[in-house]
Structure formats: C-alpha cells, structure tokens
Amino acid sequence: MSTEERPAPLRLGSIAPNFKADTTNGPIDFHEFIGDNWVILFSHPEDYTPVCTTELGEMARLEPEFAKRGVKLIGLSANTLGSHEGWIKDITDVTGSTVKFPIIADKERKVAYLYDMIDYQDTTNVDEKGIAFTIRSVFIIDPKKTIRTILSYPASTGRNSAEILRIVDSLQTGDKHKVTTPINWVPGDDVIVHPSIQGEKAKELFPNLRAVKPYLRFTSLSQ
C-alpha cells in the first residue's frame, strides 16, 4: 500500500473504523462486536513467536479481570485462521492459560492498514514475502466506539498488561466521577478534581477536596 492509499491517521477521540473479519471465534462485524462494551483491540506481529506467546497467555489469564470492567478482548495477528488455531494450543501449553477471546486472521493486513499497525521501523519484522508485520498496537475503545487510548510497542518489547488494565480503570473512573488520575495512580489512590469543576460545585461533589494549588486539587473517592 502506497503512502497515498494509507487511511487518515487515527487519534484519540476518533471513531474506531468498522471492519468485517474472520476470527478464531467466527466472522465478526467489529462495531457489532463492540456493542455496548469497552473493547481492547491489540495486534501481534506473527503467530508462533516468543514474545507474542507470552502476551496472549497473560491477556487470557487476565480476561476475567477485564470482563469485570465490561471490557471485551480481541487480538489480531498477520496470519491465517488455521495458524491461529494451532498457535492457541501452544499458548495453553506454554502459559497454562486458554485463549477464549477471538483473534483476527489478518494475513492480508487489511485491518492492520486500517488501524495503522504496520511496522515501518524494524526491517526484520517482515514475512517471507518481505511484507511488514504489525507492531504491538493497543486500542482501548469505549462503548460509543470512540478510541480512548492508543499504545504502540516495537516488536521486540512485550507489553505491560497491568498498565493496560490500569488505563481502563483510570478511564472508567474519570468518566464516572469527573476526575483525572495522577502519576502512577491505581484504584484506591487519591484522584485529581477535573479543572472544569470549580467553586461550590467542587466542594459539593468532593467534600474531601484538598487543594495543593488552585489548579491541583486532590480528593479521595471513598465514601
């Protein structure tokens, strides 16, 4: 695909492009798959590779935690459906976790190009025809089908699953309580009152408000 044919770049706030694809759980229409849920779409360079195997196993282990938060998982790799199905067995053997969420078969890179997941950096991250594989992309998408987070890791670096879960917690906490979260925040820590909430309204919503600076106001969410 030439530069002129590449789709417009996706940004935070973009609507997640729809697509139809074959997956290990059957064919899907992506927007129908999202439904009223949060979704994490994450790509892998290739089946039967070491880093990807550890990642899929860990995401499978954490799937119940994501499900508690109303989040569906869907993976993608630039291989065929048959390859995916064999690889899933290896993932279980290696990690002890069973992959139940769908993995998209994107041998032709159609979804990868649509979401700009293609590797333009690592010249070794290619298939037998020299076509670039995907990087380790993560898209966190909300029930309105809006892209809320985009993460990109090189093929050589495995992702941090705890950080992906933490981002979901931060986004959902912010949406629910009109707050933002500070550095290294985890659920249970104090949060920051959103700058748009001022004066008596802030004190009414957050009785435990603690102003460090006029622009930096912490509060706990415990009742």
Side-chain angles (χ1 to χ4, degrees):
M1 180 176 288
S2 68
T3 303
E4 290 76 14
E5 295 173 310
R6 288 176 65 186
L10 296 176
R11 296 185 170 90
L12 301 187
S14 297
I15 297 299
N18 196 25
F19 58 85
K20 291 180 171 62
D22 290 327
T23 80
T24 50
N25 290 359
I28 64 158
D29 174 289
F30 189 52
H31 280 188
E32 289 180 3
F33 175 81
I34 294 172
D36 296 324
N37 304 282
W38 289 74
V39 165
I40 294 176
L41 167 64
F42 56 108
S43 63
H44 298 269
E46 188 181 16
D47 295 358
Y48 296 104
T49 51
V51 177
C52 298
T53 300
T54 63
E55 289 186 320
L56 263 294
E58 179 63 6
M59 293 300 278
R61 185 185 73 83
L62 287 175
E63 186 174 17
E65 287 299 318
F66 286 106
K68 287 177 188 176
R69 294 157 171 81
V71 180
K72 297 169 74 174
L73 303 177
I74 181 165
L76 175 147
S77 187
N79 296 92
T80 64
L81 209 54
S83 175
H84 287 354
E85 290 166 350
W87 184 33
I88 285 173
K89 295 176 184 176
D90 271 14
I91 293 167
T92 301
D93 288 344
V94 171
T95 69
S97 299
T98 301
V99 176
K100 298 177 182 178
F101 53 81
I103 303 175
I104 297 165
D106 196 33
K107 179 71 172 176
E108 304 303 319
R109 319 290 200 274
K110 291 180 180 179
V111 179
Y113 279 118
L114 186 62
Y115 277 76
D116 198 18
M117 298 172 172
I118 297 299
D119 195 336
Y120 290 92
Q121 171 182 273
D122 185 353
T123 57
T124 68
N125 190 32
V126 296
D127 66 12
E128 69 279 357
K129 295 180 180 179
I131 301 173
F133 280 127
T134 51
I135 53 175
R136 302 184 192 283
S137 295
V138 180
F139 293 85
I140 300 178
I141 301 164
D142 71 16
K144 295 180 181 179
K145 301 175 179 62
T146 301
I147 296 173
R148 300 292 296 276
T149 299
I150 302 173
L151 303 172
S152 296
Y153 293 70
S156 59
T157 303
R159 282 163 278 212
N160 186 324
S161 57
E163 173 65 0
I164 296 171
L165 196 61
R166 190 189 78 92
I167 293 170
V168 170
D169 285 334
S170 173
L171 291 170
Q172 293 184 346
T173 298
D175 287 357
K176 181 178 180 180
H177 297 286
K178 298 180 181 178
V179 296
T180 59
T181 56
I183 181 74
N184 295 332
W185 175 89
V186 292
D189 289 353
D190 284 357
V191 295
I192 297 171
V193 177
H194 196 279
S196 64
I197 303 173
Q198 295 292 327
E200 293 302 315
K201 185 66 174 177
K203 294 177 182 177
E204 177 187 335
L205 289 173
F206 306 106
N208 298 324
L209 185 149
R210 175 171 54 88
V212 177
K213 293 287 184 182
Y215 58 85
L216 179 56
R217 299 164 301 161
F218 288 99
T219 186
S220 65
L221 292 177
S222 57
Q223 301 299 321

